[in-house]
Every structure is written in structure tokens, then in C-alpha cells.
Amino acid sequence: MTVDTAPARPAAQPAPSAPAVGRRRIRPGRLGVHAFLMAVSLAFLAPLLLAVYASLRPYEETSENGYFSLPKHLSFDYYRQAFTDSGMTKYFVNTLIIAVPGVLVTLFLASFVAFALARLKMRGGIVLLMLFTAGNLLPQQVIVTPLYVVFNRIPLPYWMSDSMTMYDSYWAVVVVQIGFQIGFCVFVLANFMRTLPQEILEAAVVDGAGVWTQYWRITLPLCRPALAALGTLQFTWMYNDFLWALVFVSDGDKLPITSALNNLRGQFFTDYNLLAAGSVIVALPTLVVFLLLQRHFIAGLTLGSSKG
């Protein structure tokens, strides 16, 4: 009879438990940052929320109890009245005639100039970029009078302007919008294009691609996030502009949507709840554009924030 003299094996130790995934200790500093961001967001949203709240209440109720009182009756009657009384359909069309070509031409010209400054080796590129950037520092009000005189002296055929001059036409507003916005777009796109890999263009040149092919088929698709971000900003700025249309357009039927709100003001009495409803309607297209381009807009703002 044999006896097993092998040493006894130690009992298996339980495996150490894996650290809990997803459990993150909340730090007071992080709570403070979120609280600050929420407060800032509410501060920016407060005027819009107050306008929406006021537009749903009758003016008699707010005049009696104040704008910060609890509502007794809510309705969308003011929105229907604001849209019909101000003739917003016509003013919306006028705004699109100004904003859509202005945005498209601005992005096309700015991307072409930015491509030449950032991707092609040309002398004086930095100086030219500085000049485009410096143009944004010029106050717009400084050249109102010179532009007014010039536009009155530039003749146009009748099919382009019924005034036979650039003054009192959509062309004047579009040209000014493009001239003032192109510098900012060139600055942003030129810096964005510098972050693109140079090897892509070098490979295209080896394959026989010309300058136009390098710009249109290679560089421009890679700039889609930046173009979307700039397009959203440019549309918002041109859509909300009122100064240039007020200066260069005298015909009330050609004014943009921002002037439609003035039709809701009475000579002796102004219903501010009705005016709030009109303001909300006017602000809706810019919100729709932002929501449609939100993904590309955020990508354009954050692209390049991290390397590697």
C-alpha cells in the first residue's frame, strides 16, 4: 500500500474583483463647472423663453398681472395674427434672395482664396491673409456714406434693378454682405486647410491633378465641417442684418424679414405680446438651419482641438 506524500495544493484563491466600470467619483469642481454652464445657458435662453411665454398669453392678462405671473389662458392666436398682419411671406422671400446667394458666393470665394493662401506656395500669402483679416476690424458704419454715393452712381439694366442703379436693389445688400464677411471666412478656412495632410495633394499632383481638381475634388470635400460651421454663422448674420437693407433699400417691398416686425407696431399702441410672437417666427429659420447642420457645425468647431 502506497502513501501519497505529495504536498497538499493550496486552496484556489478567489480572483480579485474587477474595478467597477462606469463608477466615477463626482468631484465638487466638476459640479461647479456644470452649474456654471447651466446658469450661463439659462441666461442666454431667458429672453427667448420669455418671448415664447409672452406670445402665448393675451396682452390684457400680462398688462394686468405682469409678464412673470402664472397664465390663465394660452393660445397660438398671436402667431397667426403676426404672420398675416405683417406680410411675412413676402419678407421671408426677400431675405432668402439676399442671404442664400450671399452665403454661397462668400463661401466659394473665401474657400478659393484660402486654398491659394494655404495650399499653394505663393509670395506674400501671409501679408494677404493679414489684409483679409484686417478688413474685419473696419467699422461698418464708417463706409455707409461712401457706399451710398457709389451705389447711386453704378448703373444697372432694368432687368437687374428697377431703379436702374445698384441703389434700391438686392444687389447692393448682397455685395456689401459678401465684402464684409469674406475676410472672416478666408481667415478661418486658410487656417483649417493648413491642418490637412500635404501628402494628399502631393499624391494628386503625381496622378496629374490640376489646381482646379486639387481644390474642387480633394480639398473642398475635406473642408465640409468648416464650411458647414461657416455657412451656419454666415446665414445667421446675413439673415438677422438690418443696417444695410435699411440704408441701401428704399422700397418697402424689398426689405428683409427683420423689417417685418416694424409692421406689427401701431402708431399709438404696440401689443408687445404680438411683437414677441413675430420675433419668435422670425427666429425660427435660423434655429432650423442650426439643427440641420448641428453635427457638421460642432465638428467644424472642435476639429483640430486635439492632435494625434
Side-chain angles (χ1 to χ4, degrees):
M1 180 176 180
T2 60
V3 179
D4 188 7
T5 60
R9 296 179 180 179
Q13 299 293 331
S17 58
V21 179
R23 295 181 182 177
R24 184 179 298 176
R25 192 169 67 179
I26 301 177
R27 294 174 294 180
R30 192 175 186 86
L31 288 176
V33 171
H34 283 279
F36 173 75
L37 294 177
M38 291 179 61
V40 173
S41 301
L42 290 176
F44 276 96
L45 289 175
L48 178 61
L49 297 177
L50 182 60
V52 174
Y53 181 54
S55 64
L56 298 175
R57 304 178 62 188
Y59 180 78
E60 294 78 10
E61 182 179 319
T62 56
S63 62
E64 179 180 355
N65 302 322
Y67 284 95
F68 296 97
S69 58
L70 295 177
K72 298 179 181 178
H73 178 68
L74 298 175
S75 67
F76 291 93
D77 294 339
Y78 273 138
Y79 288 93
R80 176 187 53 80
Q81 183 181 350
F83 192 85
T84 55
D85 291 357
S86 63
M88 283 191 178
T89 303
K90 173 181 62 179
Y91 295 106
F92 270 125
V93 174
N94 295 341
T95 302
L96 293 179
I97 292 175
I98 295 172
V100 173
V103 172
L104 295 179
V105 175
T106 300
L107 293 180
F108 173 74
L109 295 179
S111 61
F112 208 73
V113 175
F115 174 79
L117 295 177
R119 311 300 289 180
L120 303 180
K121 296 181 180 180
M122 54 181 300
R123 295 181 179 180
I126 299 298
V127 177
L128 188 58
L129 181 60
M130 293 175 61
L131 290 177
F132 274 101
T133 307
N136 295 323
L137 305 178
L138 180 66
Q140 299 180 358
Q141 295 79 1
V142 173
I143 62 172
V144 167
T145 302
L147 286 177
Y148 178 84
V149 175
V150 170
F151 287 164
N152 273 284
R153 296 181 179 180
I154 297 178
L156 290 178
Y158 184 78
W159 61 271
M160 294 182 64
S161 173
D162 52 8
S163 65
M164 303 295 291
T165 62
M166 186 170 284
Y167 176 76
D168 195 21
S169 68
Y170 299 118
W171 298 97
V173 184
V174 173
V175 167
V176 172
Q177 294 285 5
I178 294 173
F180 269 97
Q181 302 299 335
I182 194 172
F184 173 75
C185 294
V186 168
F187 175 77
V188 174
L189 288 175
N191 288 281
F192 182 85
M193 289 180 182
R194 285 195 176 96
T195 63
L196 300 179
Q198 186 66 25
E199 292 78 7
I200 297 179
L201 286 184
E202 293 176 354
V205 172
V206 172
D207 292 339
V211 175
W212 177 258
T213 303
Q214 298 174 37
Y215 161 75
W216 185 256
R217 301 186 61 181
I218 299 175
T219 303
L220 212 58
L222 297 176
C223 295
R224 185 179 301 173
L227 292 173
L230 285 175
T232 305
L233 293 175
Q234 294 299 318
F235 180 82
T236 303
W237 292 339
M238 295 183 186
Y239 179 90
N240 291 327
D241 179 72
F242 181 65
L243 172 64
W244 297 121
L246 185 65
V247 174
F248 299 130
V249 176
S250 60
D251 189 354
D253 292 335
K254 299 178 182 178
L255 292 174
I257 188 62
T258 49
S259 61
L261 298 178
N262 194 48
N263 297 338
L264 300 177
R265 299 176 63 92
Q267 183 177 2
F268 304 103
F269 169 75
T270 300
D271 189 340
Y272 289 100
N273 292 30
L274 177 63
L275 195 62
S279 301
V280 174
I281 295 176
V282 170
L284 284 178
T286 56
L287 296 177
V288 172
V289 171
F290 175 77
L291 292 176
L292 292 177
L293 300 177
Q294 180 182 11
R295 181 170 61 88
H296 298 290
F297 179 76
I298 296 176
L301 293 180
T302 57
L303 197 61
S305 59
S306 59
K307 298 279 186 179

